[in-house]
């Protein structure tokens, strides 16, 4: 029985997922509310517009390229892909659009056609 099990594993080994193969890990940033905290809700869920802009400038200055999930196939076309998500669709999420409009021209050309907006 042991011999048959070893032989089966030997033949199946090329088809088994390898733990030694490196996987590409893409950061996904999740934002809830881009707004000043006014005492309602959990403070941890708020990022001020100024802080969000600083974070996006940091990403830009360090070579990250924001992608949409529709552009997932482009993760290998850029050096440092990153996904930025906003949950709940609050109106204050429009600040993200304003901030990206402000700093968009500062991303390099390949990034500009892949960016969220």
């Amino acid at each position: 029985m042991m011999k048959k099990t070893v032989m089966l594993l030997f033949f199946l080994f090329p088809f088994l997922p390898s733990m030694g193969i490196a996987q590409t890990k893409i950061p996904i940033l999740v934002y809830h509310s881009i707004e000043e905290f006014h005492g309602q809700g959990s403070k941890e869920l708020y990022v001020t517009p100024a802080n969000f802009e600083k974070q996006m400038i940091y990403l830009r200055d360090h070579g990250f390229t924001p992608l949409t999930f529709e552009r997932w196939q482009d993760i290998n076309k850029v050096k440092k892909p990153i996904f930025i998500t906003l949950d709940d669709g609050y109106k204050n999420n429009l600040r993200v659009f304003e901030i990206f409009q402000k700093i968009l021209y500062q991303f390099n050309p390949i990034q500009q056609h892949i960016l969220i907006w």
Side-chain angles (χ1 to χ4, degrees):
M1 179 68 175
M2 180 67 154
K3 190 174 183 180
K4 287 182 182 180
T5 304
V6 171
M7 290 297 287
L8 180 61
L9 288 175
F10 176 76
F11 287 111
L12 290 178
F13 182 77
F15 302 104
L16 296 175
S18 173
M19 298 303 266
I21 296 175
Q23 295 180 358
T24 303
K25 295 186 179 183
I26 311 297
I28 300 174
L29 302 181
V30 180
Y31 292 92
H32 181 74
S33 188
I34 310 302
E35 185 174 38
E36 301 289 335
F37 179 69
H38 297 291
Q40 296 178 344
S42 297
K43 187 175 183 177
E44 301 83 31
L45 298 177
Y46 287 79
V47 175
T48 66
N51 192 349
F52 180 79
E53 183 173 343
K54 287 178 187 175
Q55 292 174 26
M56 295 305 106
I57 290 170
Y58 175 89
L59 294 174
R60 180 204 61 211
D61 291 349
H62 288 85
F64 285 91
T65 300
L67 297 174
T68 62
F69 288 109
E70 293 82 16
R71 303 293 304 259
W72 184 269
Q73 73 277 5
D74 293 332
I75 61 174
N76 295 317
K77 294 179 182 177
V78 296
K79 191 172 182 181
K80 292 180 170 180
I82 192 166
F83 292 93
I84 300 167
T85 67
L86 303 159
D87 66 350
D88 294 337
Y90 290 128
K91 188 174 182 178
N92 65 47
N93 291 166
L94 290 174
R95 291 193 179 108
V96 173
F97 178 69
E98 295 165 5
I99 290 167
F100 270 107
Q101 278 187 316
K102 189 169 152 182
I103 65 172
L104 176 64
Y105 73 92
Q106 298 168 347
F107 280 89
N108 72 37
I110 191 167
Q111 291 171 318
Q112 287 179 12
H113 83 276
I114 297 175
L115 273 168
I116 295 172
W117 294 286

